[in-house]
Structures are given as C-alpha cells and as structure tokens.
Amino acid sequence: MPFSLHFSPTPLITAPSPLSKPFFLVPYYHTLYAPKSPPCSSTEHALTHQGKQEAFDRRPEDSQTLPLGLRRDAMPSHVAVIMDGNRRWARLRDLPVRSGYEAGVESLRKIVEICCKWGIKVLSVFAFSSDNWFRPKVEVEFLMSLFERGMQEDTGIFFRENIRISVIGDLTKLPKALQELMVNLEEATKNNTRFQLIVVVSYSGHYDVVQACQRLALKAKCGLIEPSDINVSLMEQELETNCTEFPHPDLLIRTSGEFRISNFMLWQLAYTELFFAQSLWPDFGEAEFLKALLAFQQRQRRYGV
Amino acid sequence: MEKEVMSSLKMAGNILCSASSFIRKCIFGVLRVGPIPNHIAFIMDGNRRYAKKQKLSHDGAAGGGGRYDAGFWALMVMLLYCQELGVKYITAYAFSIDNFKRKPEEVESLMTSMLEKFHLLDILVKLLAVRVHFAGNLELLSNELRASAMELTEATAAYSKSVLTICIAYTSRDEILHAVRESCEQKRIDLEFGNDDDDEIKLMKVEKNMYMAVAPDPDIIIRTGGENRLSNFLLWQSCWSHLHSMWVLWPEIGVWNLVFAILNFQRNKTYCLDMKKKEKEL
C-alpha cells in the first residue's frame, strides 16, 4: 500500500487483561519500557523515609515510563478515535452483533487506561453517529442500553481515577433516561482534571457546524453580534467541542481499514494527523495504539504553512 | 548516417508512445467497468521537496523551469487523464491562506508563477473545453491576480465537459465561516422582511453559501507527498470522501498513481453513496 504507515517493532505484551474486569483492576504486566533515568537529588529525597509517602501518592503518569520509542514531550494532547469494526469482528467469529459491541467497550476501557498512563489529556470516541440511527431498531436499542450500562458500571472508576466525562452530540434523540444519566455524569465529573473522555453520540460534523451557525444566527437576531463579526473564535465557542481545553484532535485513529472521516468533527480536524489502522476496533490494543502514536511522533506538522 | 539514427530513434519513440497510450486506454477501459468517481480533489503537496531534489531556485534557474512549473504540468496531465476517464469535476489545492505565512519572497514567487500560469491555463482549458472556477477568499490576492482569475472564470463559464476548481487563498475554515456569515445575514434579512418565520438554519442553506457549491462533494481526495492530513482542505465536503495518500511528490504523479487511487475508491464506493443519501434524508 502506498500509505506505508511507520511501523516499529511491536513491544511484547506478556499478560493480556481479562475481558470481564473493569480496566482499573488490570495489572501492569507490560514489558519493554525505556530504562528509568538515574536517581537525581529530588528523587533521592522522595525515597527517604519521610519522602516515601509523597512518592506513593504521586500520580502514576508522573513517574510512569513510556514504551520504548515514545517521547513524553511529543505526546498528543487530544486523540480522537473512530471505533469501527465491531460488527465485522462479531461476524468473523460467528457471534451475534452485540458481542462485537461488548468487545468494543472492553477495548475502549483498555485504551482509556493507556491514555491515562501515557499522559494523553483528552480522548474523543465516536460512539454513535447521526447515520447510525438508520441501523436496525433492535441494534440501536441494544447500543443505547450498552451506553447506559457502561456509564453506570464505570461511574466509580471515573471518580476514583479523576476522569472527566463529556458527552457531545444531538442528545435530544437519545432515550430520556440515558440523556439524564449523561447530563448528571457530566455535571458530577466536571471538576475532574486528570483525563477527559469525550463520548461523541448522535453526532455529525455537519450537525456541529450547523448548530453553531444557528446559535450565532440567534445572537445576530438579538443584536449581540453582527454576522460580519463571526470569526474563528466565535465559531469555536459555539461548537460542541467547547467543553474541552483541547478542542482540536492532534491525532485521529480510524480502525478497520476504512479511509474516510465519516462526518466526524470536520471543523476540528483541519490539521489533525490521520492514522488508519487495519485492525478491527475490538482487536485494537496497546500494540496498535503504540504504532499510531509512534507514527504520529515521527510526522512533521506544518499546520498548513 | 546521423539522420538515419535520429529518424530511427524518433520512430522508436513514436512506437513507444503509441504502445503506452494503447496500454493506458486499455487500463482506463477496464477501470470504466466499475464506478468512476464524479469528483477528484488533489492536495498538491511536495513541490518544494521536488524543487530541492531537482535543485531548482525560486526564479527557475539551474534546471530550466520555475519552481512550480513541474507542479502546474502535473495538474494539466491529471486533468487530461481525468477527462479521458470521465471524471467531471477536478479540484486542486493550489494555495492555502496559511501559505501566506511562508517567507515573503517565496509567496511573491508563487504569486508571480500563478499569474504566468493563468495565461497558459487560459489557452489549455479552452482547447479542452474545461470550465474553470476559483474557490477561496480572492480578496486576499493582488488586484492583478484576482482580475486574471475572474477573467478566466467568465471566459470559460459556457464550457460544461469538465469543471476544474482551483482553490486559491483558501482554507476550509475560512470557507465555512464565510458560509455561516452569509447564512446568518440572509436569515436576518428574511426574518426582518417577513419572508421566513422559522429561526432555524438548515444544512442546505449553509452548503449553498460554500465556495465549493459549484461542485458535488469529492469522491476521492488524493494527497501526494506522503502526509496523512487534510490541512484545512474541503473539511465540510470530505465527510464521505475516500482519502488516499501517496508517497510520490506532486510533480512526479503519474497515471498509475491515479489508477491505483481509483481502484481503491471502487472498493468503497457503494457505502459512501448510501451514507450521503441518508444524511440528506436526516
């Protein structure tokens, strides 16, 4: 393929996490990390009798070493993912479609865990697009119940791991109970600062721009702004991604080998590096994520210049 | 003796050209069995790297030809191939608003080169019956360049065989902002004069005000130069486009690169068309 993604030797993963456990209980069995730097005076102090408690309380990502080849200074602040391939994964295994979605949720949990470990600040996941409403009703209802169940089960984790949850999209189309759950979860976790997970539901890039346009038109109608005043800053204030400090993904990963954006965050992807992975989403694990990040770190970003 | 050798070489050259032309026609014939994209967009990346490789300077010394000459001819060749294949709309990302941030001498050289090429383009597109359209914030261009662009647009307005859109002083965000401003202004006027009592702005209204409203959404976006990003190009229109990145530098692009891109597109076409239709229904 002329795409020729930048591959590096796959690190050894010695113990895969069991699918049924929530991600925070997965032991860190991963090997092939960069050697730790020799102790400096601040580290020596931390390891003294009085400093041991401080070291114990220190956040994992501050002292966590990264896999070989990854540079902490070049980590993307915001990674976006189009989680494609769940149904194909199930069909290939002669399993019902719901198994594919459930495996997809487990894969997401692993990636969230890895993002927290490796210092990525924001992860946006394209969970349900506007065109997914055309899927069979049974499948859509299952997905809605899966979102509800997943959010309820992982609420404790979000608080314990200091994860902020944001939900963007046209939530009016979702079942009332799910809407309420999402809004409450967003509100309850809004002060969490370690990591932000943006769940993108019932969303399209076109919808995002049009709803921003409508809000601006309303402001113009009320005389708050002139249409000629509309600029990048005003526009970005009205887009759904105004919920984060890093609204523009640095890296977009799409799984399952499809080479398209599928109406995801169009405005926000202006200078985003695109990475198309061949594996299906439930199979997208640490090794594949590492490949994507290594490829990202090797790219020269010119921002259009 | 020399004349005989030259004559033989010329004949051999003609035979090779005819043979490669025949092979190309056969390949295109095979491609046409499957769906042919209606619109191909090109991000013409790699001109500076190519110029560095060929040791071309700004003014085109040491190599014969300006820095961007090879890129211009590559676009003309692609236009010819696309016409032969039956691709009606071709869009090329010639100059981004972000490119104004480059060194002033480079920007000036590019503008001068573009002005020269417009005169050449004028002759070529009339021969090929191609309608030319310029998409972008043309107010950012010099008066001369803008006038030349408008002249070319008017001169070719009657042609309909193919449409070549050149994105110049363009970024997609600027295009979207322009469309949003126009939509808000139109809505305000409609509400003021009682032509419309609905506050809502629909997607179609915003789309109508895009610079790229003359062409349908691209089926394929081809980027040369090996990078995998859109660089603020056709963000709105690319939602269902097949994205194809190739390592070859833009001036080096050839027919086989195009063939491969279209073959990849043909594998995914049906899904993209379905999704476009469904989005319109929503």
Side-chain angles (χ1 to χ4, degrees):
Chain A
M1 287 292 282
F3 253 97
S4 201
L5 303 166
H6 294 280
F7 290 105
S8 65
T10 312
L12 298 170
I13 313 295
T14 54
S17 52
L19 286 180
S20 55
K21 284 190 187 173
F23 74 87
F24 70 105
L25 288 180
V26 170
Y28 297 150
Y29 286 142
H30 310 301
T31 60
L32 205 70
Y33 277 70
K36 288 188 181 178
S37 52
C40 60
S41 56
S42 59
T43 315
E44 277 174 327
H45 166 74
L47 292 175
T48 57
H49 181 71
Q50 278 187 315
K52 271 182 188 167
Q53 188 58 45
E54 289 169 21
F56 181 76
D57 286 341
R58 201 185 306 136
R59 275 279 156 226
E61 66 267 21
D62 295 342
S63 57
Q64 181 74 47
T65 47
L66 293 175
L68 201 64
L70 266 190
R71 298 180 341 253
R72 191 170 287 283
D73 61 308
M75 289 299 274
S77 301
H78 182 169
V79 175
V81 180
I82 301 177
M83 304 183 292
D84 197 15
N86 298 297
R87 294 188 296 175
R88 256 169 286 179
W89 184 92
R91 276 198 291 268
L92 283 170
R93 287 157 179 75
D94 288 327
L95 293 170
V97 164
R98 55 182 62 204
S99 301
Y101 289 128
E102 279 163 357
V105 169
E106 288 306 320
S107 186
L108 174 59
R109 286 183 172 132
K110 282 183 220 160
I111 297 300
V112 168
E113 178 196 347
I114 292 166
C115 286
C116 288
K117 258 192 330 185
W118 293 353
I120 291 166
K121 301 270 186 285
V122 183
L123 176 71
S124 296
V125 292
F126 202 8
F128 192 88
S129 84
S130 302
D131 62 86
N132 290 158
W133 289 112
F134 293 105
R135 289 192 178 171
K137 196 174 169 200
V138 170
E139 194 176 319
V140 171
E141 279 170 0
F142 172 76
L143 278 169
M144 294 298 129
S145 70
L146 190 62
F147 293 150
E148 203 172 328
R149 206 170 1 117
M151 286 187 162
Q152 280 166 345
E153 280 173 10
D154 292 346
T155 302
I157 297 163
F158 299 143
F159 286 110
R160 196 165 24 246
E161 300 296 322
N162 197 10
I163 293 173
R164 180 183 169 188
I165 299 295
S166 299
V167 183
I168 64 173
D170 185 4
L171 304 190
T172 58
K173 292 185 174 178
L174 302 178
K176 289 274 180 249
L178 183 56
Q179 282 184 49
E180 221 174 278
L181 174 65
M182 284 174 166
V183 166
N184 291 341
L185 196 53
E186 261 192 297
E187 184 60 31
T189 58
K190 70 179 181 191
N191 295 319
N192 294 351
T193 53
R194 182 187 176 196
F195 173 76
Q196 185 176 14
L197 175 64
I198 301 177
V199 182
V200 186
V201 178
S202 184
Y203 175 96
S204 76
H206 285 167
Y207 150 80
D208 200 359
V209 169
V210 171
Q211 68 82 30
C213 179
Q214 281 171 1
R215 289 193 207 212
L216 289 166
L218 204 58
K219 284 187 175 176
K221 183 186 168 190
C222 299
L224 295 170
I225 57 167
E226 289 295 314
S228 54
D229 292 338
I230 295 171
N231 57 18
V232 170
S233 172
L234 279 178
M235 186 74 184
E236 296 206 335
Q237 279 170 30
E238 304 300 340
L239 289 170
E240 297 263 329
T241 42
N242 59 9
C243 61
T244 176
E245 192 190 343
F246 307 99
H248 307 143
D250 298 294
L251 172 65
L252 170 73
I253 299 170
R254 185 186 179 128
T255 53
S256 86
E258 301 291 341
F259 298 102
R260 54 179 180 264
I261 308 292
S262 293
N263 219 337
F264 179 54
M265 282 195 185
L266 303 174
W267 170 282
Q268 295 85 344
L269 296 182
Y271 302 109
T272 303
E273 296 293 329
L274 310 175
F275 184 91
F276 299 102
Q278 291 299 314
S279 58
L280 304 174
W281 175 247
D283 294 328
F284 188 84
E286 180 168 334
E288 292 277 348
F289 195 39
L290 181 62
K291 277 182 201 166
L293 291 174
L294 285 169
F296 170 79
Q297 291 192 348
Q298 283 164 18
R299 294 193 190 172
Q300 284 184 338
R301 303 186 76 186
R302 299 197 300 265
Y303 296 94
V305 178
Chain B
M1 179 68 181
E2 252 182 51
K3 275 187 187 171
E4 281 168 11
V5 169
M6 288 306 293
S7 160
S8 308
L9 279 172
K10 205 173 168 182
M11 201 186 315
N14 287 340
I15 292 169
L16 272 173
C17 278
S18 305
S20 75
S21 174
F22 176 71
I23 292 169
R24 191 189 70 245
K25 285 183 166 75
C26 289
I27 299 286
F28 280 11
V30 168
L31 274 184
R32 270 191 234 102
V33 171
I36 292 293
N38 192 33
H39 181 178
I40 298 180
F42 294 98
I43 301 177
M44 304 187 292
D45 196 17
N47 292 290
R48 291 186 292 176
R49 274 172 280 172
Y50 177 82
K52 207 171 164 184
K53 245 167 69 170
Q54 305 295 325
K55 295 187 173 56
L56 295 171
S57 65
H58 283 288
D59 60 1
R67 227 175 175 216
Y68 298 96
D69 279 2
F72 170 77
W73 289 114
L75 177 60
M76 291 300 105
V77 166
M78 283 296 117
L79 178 61
L80 274 168
Y81 288 147
C82 287
Q83 260 205 341
E84 194 180 330
L85 267 171
V87 178
K88 183 158 182 198
Y89 297 91
I90 302 105
T91 300
Y93 199 10
F95 190 85
S96 154
I97 293 175
D98 295 323
N99 293 157
F100 280 115
K101 295 177 196 161
R102 289 183 182 177
K103 290 180 195 163
E105 56 270 18
E106 191 179 333
V107 174
E108 203 184 312
S109 159
L110 200 47
M111 292 293 148
T112 311
S113 178
M114 274 199 276
L115 196 57
E116 285 166 18
K117 297 298 174 287
F118 280 4
H119 298 305
L120 205 48
L121 190 62
D122 189 36
I123 301 167
L124 290 168
V125 294
K126 282 169 181 167
L127 273 172
L128 300 171
V130 174
R131 181 183 161 194
V132 178
H133 171 75
F134 289 91
N137 191 347
L138 303 186
E139 296 302 316
L140 297 175
L141 300 174
S142 65
N143 291 335
E144 204 183 347
L145 200 53
R146 188 170 53 251
S148 194
M150 305 281 45
E151 214 176 285
L152 189 49
T153 306
E154 279 165 24
T156 58
Y159 298 129
S160 57
K161 189 177 174 188
S162 1
V163 179
L164 170 65
T165 305
I166 298 177
C167 293
I168 184 167
Y170 172 96
T171 58
S172 193
R173 283 185 180 168
D174 181 70
E175 180 187 29
I176 293 171
L177 280 177
H178 166 80
V180 165
R181 283 186 212 115
E182 291 293 307
S183 305
C184 289
E185 186 61 49
Q186 280 162 16
K187 178 56 72 175
R188 192 164 74 161
I189 292 170
D190 286 344
L191 289 171
E192 208 173 293
F193 288 100
N195 296 336
D196 195 349
D197 54 5
D198 180 10
D199 272 349
E200 212 180 308
I201 294 181
K202 299 252 189 303
L203 182 138
M204 302 290 242
K205 202 78 177 228
V206 176
E207 249 179 3
K208 232 172 49 170
N209 289 312
M210 295 276 174
Y211 297 137
M212 288 294 300
V214 286
D217 293 346
D219 298 295
I220 314 178
I221 297 180
I222 294 176
R223 182 173 186 137
T224 53
E227 303 292 354
N228 239 317
R229 50 183 182 246
L230 288 169
S231 295
N232 220 335
F233 179 57
L234 300 186
L235 300 173
W236 177 273
Q237 296 83 355
S238 66
C239 48
W240 301 113
S241 304
H242 176 74
L243 307 175
H244 189 90
S245 172
M246 41 180 82
W247 285 106
V248 70
L249 302 176
W250 173 252
E252 295 170 339
I253 192 171
V255 66
W256 302 114
N257 303 117
L258 183 64
V259 166
F260 194 73
I262 293 175
L263 281 171
N264 266 289
F265 158 76
Q266 288 179 340
R267 281 173 50 207
N268 295 289
K269 182 186 185 260
T270 316
Y271 177 86
C272 294
L273 267 186
D274 283 346
M275 285 302 117
K276 277 186 207 177
K277 278 184 209 159
K278 282 174 182 169
E279 202 205 6
K280 299 278 186 247
E281 285 165 23
L282 257 182

